[in-house]
Amino acid sequence: MSKEYGADQIQILEGLEAVRKRPGMYIGSTSVRGLHHLVYEIVDNAVDEALAGYCTEIDVSINPDNSITVVDNGRGVPVELNEKKGISTVEVVYTILHAGGKFGGGAYKVSGGLHGVGASVVNALSKKMEVKVEQNGHIHRQCYEKGKPVTPLEIIGDSDRTGTTVTFLPDDTIFEETVFDFDTLKSRLREMAFLTKGIKIILRDKREEEEKVREFYYEGGIREYVDYLNKSKAVLYPTVIYCEGTVNDVYVEVAMQHNDGYNEGCYSFVNNITTPEGGTHLAGFKNALTKTFNDYARAQKYLKENEQNLTGEDIREGLTAIISVKLGEPQFEGQTKQKLGNSEARGAVDSIVSEQLTYFLEQNPAVAKMICEKAVLAQRARDAARKARDLTRRKNALDGMSLPGKLADCSDRDPKNCEIYLVEGDSAGGSAKTARSRATQAILPLRGKILNVEKARLDRILSSQEIRAMITAFGTGISEDFDISKLRYHKIIIMTDADVDGAHIDTLLLTFLYRFMPELIKQGYVYLATPPLYKIEKNKKVWYAYSDEELNSILTEIGRDQNNKIQRYKGLGEMDPEQLWETTMDPEKRILKKVCMNDDAMSELDLTFTVLMGDNVEPRREFIEKNAKFVKDLDKYC
């Protein structure tokens, strides 16, 4: 029986009801990532005041009840009556979508955030919010619950300063998790401080007995950002190249510096908001960089007449760059609105970088020579890698190239149903091949530890048999050849021993995927298997424990006596196929950990990989000393 569909079935959500009904439409998700996005939205409003020249300090506190307080010393949200709505402007800003100084009227030339919906969305998704505005010698306050005012805007005291203080407590009926992570906020606030030179941002965690405080202030702005990202790398030259200017009302800032590594780290921003998918500003930068260096290399005879031009990839090998533009009406494209579409941004960045970089190279011939020589070496390595790359491209049977010989493929041809296990060692690989479901589970055994791609050029990487086997099996290609639509498995599962070597292999594989196939991680196709640590037998019954806590829980339940037989698994090879299936491969019972990437902290993620997997030992030692106290379950690796 069909349901009636008519006028009465059309639902109209008033005010902020739509935000509470469909929060994901406004903040991306109700996960931990969405939770932290609330903080960024309120801080973005304060940063807008800084960009306009009125705010010099922002103070962010995580309170004992896990609420957030953001204090700025800007002009303060206007408290006057809004004649159109008949309520105070403060109430308009915090309760009405698309209301604020970001929609014309001259309040802000540039602004970040959710296009003016930020403050009201945060209010709608909070159990309670309090806004204090210090202005005109008074302190004004209004309180809200779930987006609705519960008090009028009232004067509660006197003040000789100006600014806005917002305190909000996220609604635990909407968010999956309401505990803020200090390090996540620290990474984003540090990035904001780098992108807005001269602003001080303070982060406080008041949840512990001893308050944790971090302060960020960078007079050098994005130049210091490049220094920070390169601090664990050996730089080719000491100077950070800096370009700045305004063309057609687009303000452009670019800072860059090469290191002796092989990975490119170019990060682009629009009005202080990260654009992980790039866009016109990044395209303008790349075009200017490629043209300028080729012109210079030809003029200085670093390239011979019969040699091909350097590609952008050659020139950007080992480059760390920040591209930041600020403009009045940013237009975003792409599924997730993370790609800038304004055509004027491309021309502005191209023009400013071309002119100022040309001048820099002429004034600094020694630096220019080092960059050109590194790019020429990269070009030769790229040519050498071309043949190896061709071997890894997925081809059909008519092309005469089969899948890797040691791959035990699955029979199903629909990638949505298929998964591939990357298994440590031939022994465990043999057990996995016997244990698997042949229809949907493929097994690729990997011998030993794969090459650390953080320390190698592409030609050497593609000469690795294990890496070629993975690329061919996945079917996507790598780097500029990467095509997600050709992925043959929608679950790539790393299955290694629960010991130090297994953890190292996990890290090596994740480094390879992050550097050459990051989209696999971004789109949620990469997982870590979780084999059990213990097998417990008693009276012909069997239990498996995946942690020491679970072992103790089982022993408490069944009783601790001499009839208990406890086996500590040191590796996958100790399990027979039936046990491996039952504990680690059966989709009905197994535990998989999805590997996730946060676009909001890509530069921090890149820095972490460099510290942990790069050549420089000292930063790695410092990282270990700093984080050793947070290690859990160390005994399971011993």
Side-chain angles (χ1 to χ4, degrees), residues 378-389:
Q379 182 190 53
R380 291 170 186 163
R382 177 171 50 84
D383 291 339
R386 187 178 293 118
K387 291 179 183 178
R389 184 193 278 121

Side-chain angles (χ1 to χ4, degrees), residues 6-57:
D8 291 341
Q9 278 68 52
I10 302 300
Q11 187 178 17
I12 301 172
L13 298 176
E14 297 289 344
L16 297 180
E17 292 176 51
V19 181
R20 294 185 60 81
K21 187 82 172 175
R22 299 280 187 271
M25 290 177 61
Y26 298 87
I27 58 167
S29 75
T30 55
S31 65
V32 171
R33 185 176 178 184
L35 176 75
H36 289 79
H37 201 93
L38 299 181
V39 184
Y40 309 151
E41 285 304 324
I42 299 299
V43 174
D44 278 337
N45 289 340
V47 170
D48 288 340
E49 278 287 281
L51 293 176
Y54 297 102
C55 173
T56 59
E57 189 169 306

Side-chain angles (χ1 to χ4, degrees), residues 52 63 76 113 131 159 192 215 259 274 339 414 424 505 527 549:
N63 300 313
V131 178
S159 174
M192 288 180 172
E215 189 173 300
N259 57 70
T274 183
K339 183 177 182 180
D414 185 348
E424 172 191 352
I505 292 169
Y527 297 81
E549 290 79 10

Side-chain angles (χ1 to χ4, degrees), residues 47 82 154 163 204 215 223 324 343 384 395 548 575 581 631:
V47 170
N82 182 283
E154 54 192 354
R204 308 175 192 273
E215 189 173 300
R223 277 177 284 205
S324 176
S343 58
K395 301 182 180 181
D548 289 335
M575 284 187 269
W581 167 258
V631 173

Side-chain angles (χ1 to χ4, degrees), residues 31 61 85 108 190 218 375 430 445 470 487 511 513 558 570 580:
S31 65
S61 297
K85 293 293 182 181
Y108 297 112
R190 179 193 285 120
Y218 306 105
M470 283 189 287
L487 180 62
T511 304
L513 294 174
I558 67 176
K570 290 291 185 181
L580 190 58

Side-chain angles (χ1 to χ4, degrees), residues 131-342:
V131 178
K132 291 181 183 176
V133 178
E134 292 172 83
Q135 204 177 82
N136 303 324
H138 301 297
I139 304 172
H140 306 257
R141 182 183 68 182
Q142 186 166 32
C143 300
Y144 312 85
E145 290 180 3
K146 298 180 180 179
K148 297 179 180 178
V150 292
T151 68
L153 182 67
E154 54 192 354
I155 295 174
I156 60 167
D158 298 326
S159 174
D160 58 0
R161 67 184 294 275
T162 62
T164 304
T165 301
V166 178
T167 300
F168 67 91
L169 179 68
D171 193 334
D172 56 9
T173 65
I174 289 177
F175 290 95
E176 301 161 19
E177 175 65 67
T178 54
V179 178
F180 288 99
D181 179 68
F182 182 84
D183 288 333
T184 300
L185 293 177
K186 179 181 71 177
S187 297
R188 176 62 179 138
L189 296 179
R190 179 193 285 120
E191 183 177 82
M192 288 180 172
F194 277 129
L195 291 164
T196 314
K197 57 186 173 186
I199 192 172
K200 182 190 289 186
I201 301 181
I202 303 165
L203 174 63
R204 308 175 192 273
D205 191 342
K206 300 180 177 180
R207 292 172 296 187
E208 301 294 331
E209 194 170 317
E210 186 176 339
E211 183 178 303
K212 194 189 300 183
V213 181
R214 295 290 184 277
E215 189 173 300
F216 308 110
Y217 176 81
Y218 306 105
E219 192 60 48
I222 62 172
R223 277 177 284 205
E224 289 192 55
Y225 199 176
V226 170
D227 279 334
Y228 171 75
L229 294 176
N230 271 344
K231 69 179 182 180
S232 299
K233 304 168 186 175
V235 296
L236 280 192
Y237 44 91
T239 308
V240 174
I241 303 170
Y242 181 71
C243 307
E244 179 187 28
T246 302
V247 174
N248 295 329
D249 293 327
V250 179
Y251 173 67
V252 177
E253 264 193 301
V254 172
M256 56 183 149
Q257 184 183 44
H258 287 81
N259 57 70
D260 67 354
Y262 309 116
N263 297 306
E264 171 190 338
C266 294
Y267 307 99
S268 59
F269 301 85
V270 178
N271 296 356
N272 286 11
I273 306 301
T274 183
T275 46
E277 294 177 24
T280 52
H281 55 329
L282 184 59
F285 167 73
K286 289 182 175 180
N287 185 67
L289 195 72
T290 305
K291 183 178 184 303
T292 303
F293 270 104
N294 271 298
D295 288 348
Y296 185 85
R298 290 279 177 208
Q300 300 299 319
K301 310 297 184 188
Y302 295 125
L303 284 175
K304 297 174 184 176
E305 288 186 13
N306 61 339
E307 284 186 310
Q308 290 184 334
N309 271 357
L310 300 166
T311 68
E313 195 177 10
D314 298 329
I315 298 161
R316 296 193 304 274
E317 182 188 271
L319 177 68
T320 299
I322 303 295
I323 302 95
S324 176
V325 300
K326 296 183 172 74
L327 64 164
E329 296 290 337
Q331 297 160 12
F332 294 97
E333 301 173 351
Q335 186 71 25
T336 53
K337 305 297 183 189
Q338 295 178 323
K339 183 177 182 180
L340 183 66
N342 299 63

